[in-house]
Amino acid sequence: MLTCKDKRHAYQAVQLLRVVLASRDTEHSHLPEHRDDYDWNACSDLFFQDHDVLMLFDARFDGVDDPDGDVNQRLGMGDLRAAAWFEPFGYPPVRDPRRGFRR
């Protein structure tokens, strides 16, 4: 689960996965089928907590990044300005930096 607002990379990864699966089917056809196969909306929901950030890439929503803006406040989007993109939010909770790493 991504926890920062720069979700563009995950969105691009989903798009790339779609292209790869459509163009190269080597081992893929041998995998067991599941009812959720190709449920791209569910995949997107797993990668993103919300999709508000995608509005930043649409010129029709210019200014929506400002937390003081009318649309932003009406939708409860929060601060989508570039300076806030890498601030953790939501769940899961931020990992305790004192925890260390497994080896």
Side-chain angles (χ1 to χ4, degrees):
M1 171 74 59
L2 297 176
T3 60
C4 63
K5 295 174 185 165
D6 184 18
K7 300 173 191 171
R8 179 180 51 148
H9 294 96
Y11 179 77
Q12 290 171 344
V14 170
Q15 299 305 317
L16 179 61
L17 180 61
R18 285 182 181 174
V19 171
V20 168
L21 289 178
S23 65
R24 292 181 30 170
D25 188 358
T26 57
E27 302 292 323
H28 179 252
S29 62
H30 302 293
L31 294 173
E33 292 186 20
H34 190 274
R35 63 183 171 82
D36 291 340
D37 287 350
Y38 309 107
D39 185 351
W40 299 113
N41 290 329
C43 185
S44 179
D45 288 342
L46 289 172
F47 282 136
F48 303 109
Q49 284 184 338
D50 59 57
H51 294 83
D52 296 343
V53 71
L54 300 177
M55 296 171 86
L56 297 175
F57 304 100
D58 190 327
R60 294 175 297 168
F61 300 109
D62 187 39
V64 76
D65 57 328
D66 184 357
D68 295 325
D70 293 336
V71 174
N72 186 307
Q73 286 189 356
R74 191 168 46 247
L75 296 176
M77 296 170 62
D79 190 353
L80 296 178
R81 295 175 293 188
W85 284 2
F86 299 98
E87 293 296 321
F89 70 99
Y91 62 90
V94 176
R95 185 180 178 283
D96 183 350
R98 298 169 294 167
R99 184 176 135 206
F101 296 94
R102 292 183 203 162
R103 296 186 191 251

